Amino acid sequence: GAVVSQHPSRVICKSGTSVKIECRSLDFQATTMFWYRQFPKKSLMLMATSNEGSKATYEQGVEKDKFLINHASLTLSTLTVTSAHPEDSSFYICSATILAGVSYEQYFGPGTRLTVT
Amino acid sequence: AQSVTQLDSQVPVFEEAPVELRCNYSSSVSVYLFWYVQYPNQGLQLLLKYLSGSTLVESINGFEAEFNKSQTSFHLRKPSVHISDTAEYFCAVSAKTPPGTASKLTFGTGTRLQVTL
């Protein structure tokens, strides 16, 4: 089946530093990947749509200069949280899309728990 | 734009009892509908989906959901739950898009299914 990995699974960083999270589709190519943020006991909030070879499309209210997204290949997208602050602490989840019949299906990574101290 | 409403934030149920998790959606265009399950500190796993055709869709582990267009609902049901079904369940919707276009998912706020002995 379609497997998506994320690295790291957990990261703790100090306020003001930057953190990079990788999202990889292991056994398929994904033209489009999505990045979500999930707060405790809350739903997933779409942050941005990442298309291979082009600039990411950010949702309203998401700072593109703070959350840098790079989709350098059909199997890798990265999210860099720049100058992280405690309020950026969250669970970040990516998904990679694959054509399944008439629609695209999203396969989700296991998530990355970011804690900013 | 689409929106999803999951009215029940928590549903406690005894093992072997039936359960229904409610999901209603709103959209000005035709949609695909999904149910995802999330176990603690993990990413989301697709449980089942409705794309077209039969309005009743089933998963391999006994869950089923029925698309009701007139009521704009996609409720999830299982006739007999197990302890292992304890998890967070998310209903999601995406707009039907032209071939070759991946559409983003809009999630509900989730329902915590708690199965006890």
Side-chain angles (χ1 to χ4, degrees):
Chain A
V3 179
V4 178
S5 70
Q6 279 184 244
H7 178 78
S9 58
R10 291 177 177 271
V11 58
I12 301 173
C13 70
K14 292 186 176 181
S15 186
T17 61
S18 295
V19 174
K20 180 185 285 188
I21 302 170
E22 293 186 349
C23 176
R24 293 182 184 272
S25 56
L26 297 184
D27 49 0
F28 66 100
Q29 293 183 329
T31 306
T32 302
M33 292 184 174
F34 295 93
W35 285 96
Y36 297 85
R37 181 173 178 177
Q38 185 178 32
F39 295 95
K41 302 187 187 299
K42 296 288 186 181
S43 184
L44 280 74
M45 181 192 78
L46 179 65
M47 298 175 66
T49 303
S50 171
N51 289 300
E52 187 268 337
S54 62
K55 290 185 178 181
T57 303
Y58 290 82
E59 295 298 300
Q60 193 172 15
V62 178
E63 299 177 59
K64 61 180 181 181
D65 294 329
K66 180 168 186 61
F67 298 99
L68 300 178
I69 292 173
N70 186 315
H71 196 153
S73 75
L74 288 172
T75 60
L76 173 65
S77 177
T78 61
L79 168 67
T80 301
V81 183
T82 62
S83 187
H85 291 286
E87 57 265 29
D88 298 325
S89 298
S90 193
F91 195 49
Y92 292 87
I93 303 176
C94 73
S95 72
T97 60
I98 189 169
L99 185 61
V102 298
S103 72
Y104 277 88
E105 195 164 305
Q106 291 190 33
Y107 287 87
F108 288 82
T112 296
R113 174 77 60 192
L114 170 63
T115 303
V116 185
T117 61
Chain B
Q2 293 78 43
S3 67
V4 179
T5 302
Q6 291 181 250
L7 289 174
D8 305 308
S9 59
Q10 292 189 67
V11 174
V13 63
F14 290 112
E15 192 175 37
E16 297 184 2
V19 70
E20 178 180 83
L21 306 184
R22 295 180 294 169
C23 172
N24 288 87
Y25 70 93
S26 173
S27 176
S28 57
V29 300
S30 296
V31 296
Y32 300 126
L33 294 156
F34 307 83
W35 275 99
Y36 287 87
V37 58
Q38 184 181 33
Y39 298 99
N41 295 312
Q42 294 186 28
L44 275 70
Q45 301 173 32
L46 179 65
L47 192 58
L48 45 75
K49 61 184 177 182
Y50 170 78
L51 303 180
S52 65
S54 173
T55 57
L56 184 66
V57 291
E58 299 176 347
S59 72
I60 58 173
N61 56 353
F63 283 95
E64 65 178 31
E66 186 160 19
F67 169 55
N68 187 318
K69 188 174 182 179
S70 63
Q71 296 186 7
T72 60
S73 68
F74 191 54
H75 301 330
L76 182 70
R77 303 184 187 95
K78 188 170 185 179
S80 176
V81 296
H82 300 286
I83 292 285
S84 58
D85 292 325
T86 295
E88 191 84 21
Y89 291 81
F90 291 95
C91 182
V93 63
S94 71
K96 288 187 179 180
T97 54
T101 306
S103 179
K104 58 187 180 183
L105 287 168
T106 299
F107 285 89
T109 50
T111 297
R112 170 76 177 170
L113 175 62
Q114 183 68 51
V115 182
T116 56
L117 294 172

